[in-house]
Amino acid sequence: MLPAITAEAPMPKHLDDAAIAQYRRDGYVTPLTACSPEQAEAWHQDVLRCCGEATRATSEAGIRQPSNRVKPYLLFPWAAEIVRHPAILDAVEDLIGPDILVFHTTLWWKPAHSEGFVPWHQDSTYFGLAPHEHVTAWLALTPSTEEAGCVTILPGSHRHGQLPHADRKDPRVMLSRGQSVVAEIEPREAVPIPLQPGQFSLHDTLVLHASQPNRAAHDRIGLGISYIPARVRHVGPTRLSATLVRGRDTHGHFDLEPAPRAEADAAARAVHADSIGRFWTASESIPEMSLAH
């Protein structure tokens, strides 16, 4: 009698079994290495050159509008290179499979000795994605230490599902709507995830996380990249765009975005404006989270 033939799970590309198990259990894994400190510093210099503008206009709804620090991979070839970095994509593929889209990206820049902070929240709250399979990669371009206000995670909180949030109007809050979880958080259970330049972390879209003001003498700069498997869709009425960075898109839930051919040229600026325009139209249509969606 022939032995039964069973399908074997693909071998991990970047994460080992223990790291994958930690991600499933705790909602995050860290630290991982994307590149050398020298490459991270080169990208840091690109950020300083291209993304120094910090002022953002405010909409009639009181929502701060995005700048070139939002979805910079549509404007700048160096940022397009980062979101397609093989080491990052290999780790993400180990968690969500080979067909990967970039849904959103934010450059998180906390100046030295600044008061900006990020309250406790879930990334899933205003994205309107289903199912909840989005993974955030957070890549450090400068030291992200506890003193500098590194990301802090509440392990295992992703297992509670989507929690109610409320908009928080505070000029120090770095989130677009100031979205904050309604539940009280026990800070003693939180775990800081410091990173050195070239290192990155991965966290689940439902895991609660926050970060404190930067008390260090250097700027804290990192890129938060939202990856989704191609099977994930946006549930709102606005058709959004995303970038295919690995594999195939056989689902067609998003209009696919082209990579920039030149730095912030007219074509890139048009794609960027269209993409973030759609994103903010969708975001502003989602009411304050009095109930979990």
Side-chain angles (χ1 to χ4, degrees):
M1 185 176 182
L2 294 175
I5 298 176
T6 58
E8 294 184 0
M11 292 292 293
K13 291 187 172 183
H14 190 94
L15 305 180
D16 59 23
D17 291 341
I20 294 172
Q22 179 195 344
Y23 182 88
R24 305 297 183 205
R25 180 187 68 247
D26 297 333
Y28 74 100
V29 61
T30 189
L32 306 168
T33 298
C35 65
S36 67
E38 291 76 17
Q39 177 60 74
E41 176 56 25
W43 285 331
H44 175 214
Q45 293 303 314
D46 287 327
V47 167
L48 296 177
R49 178 172 52 84
C50 297
C51 303
E53 175 271 316
T55 301
R56 293 189 291 173
T58 302
S59 73
E60 293 180 358
I63 299 170
R64 286 173 291 166
Q65 299 302 299
S67 67
N68 54 11
R69 297 184 184 182
V70 177
K71 288 199 167 190
Y73 63 91
L74 296 178
L75 288 170
F76 309 114
W78 57 265
E81 177 185 357
I82 292 176
V83 301
R84 292 169 172 82
H85 195 285
I88 300 175
L89 291 181
D90 284 350
V92 172
E93 180 175 340
D94 289 339
L95 299 174
I96 64 174
D99 300 324
I100 304 172
L101 297 168
V102 173
F103 175 72
H104 196 64
T105 296
T106 300
L107 182 65
W108 295 103
W109 189 331
K110 289 182 183 177
H113 303 299
S114 61
E115 295 300 317
F117 71 97
V118 177
W120 288 102
H121 71 287
Q122 295 167 304
D123 288 342
S124 56
T125 305
Y126 292 103
F127 278 176
L129 297 175
H132 285 135
E133 297 181 9
H134 150 215
V135 176
T136 297
W138 206 99
L139 173 68
L141 300 181
T142 64
S144 183
T145 61
E146 289 188 64
E147 183 185 24
C150 67
V151 175
T152 300
I153 293 279
L154 194 65
S157 53
H158 62 304
R159 296 196 296 269
H160 300 299
Q162 178 65 56
L163 300 173
H165 283 60
D167 291 352
R168 178 176 177 177
K169 291 179 172 57
D170 184 330
R172 299 171 301 160
V173 172
M174 298 178 70
L175 298 174
S176 59
R177 294 173 57 156
Q179 52 264 42
S180 305
V181 70
V182 173
E184 291 293 326
I185 303 300
E186 175 49 67
R188 290 177 297 181
E189 298 176 0
V191 176
I193 49 175
L195 297 168
Q196 290 302 307
Q199 292 183 324
F200 68 102
S201 62
L202 298 175
H203 66 258
D204 186 279
T205 188
L206 288 168
V207 79
L208 286 164
H209 57 291
S211 66
Q212 295 301 308
N214 183 0
R215 304 304 185 197
H218 65 271
D219 291 4
R220 192 217 68 167
I221 300 176
L223 198 65
I225 311 167
S226 299
Y227 292 104
I228 58 173
R231 59 183 171 270
V232 164
R233 69 190 189 282
H234 180 252
V235 299
T238 303
R239 183 168 174 83
L240 301 183
S241 60
T243 291
L244 182 68
V245 290
R246 177 167 288 185
R248 298 184 302 158
D249 176 19
T250 60
H251 300 272
H253 295 317
F254 301 89
D255 290 337
L256 297 184
E257 303 158 336
R261 294 186 176 183
E263 195 165 278
D265 65 4
R269 293 197 306 272
V271 169
H272 181 253
D274 174 68
S275 178
I276 62 175
R278 298 193 211 187
F279 179 83
W280 283 101
T281 296
S283 176
E284 293 186 12
S285 69
I286 298 175
E288 185 167 292
M289 296 294 292
S290 58
L291 295 174
H293 67 76

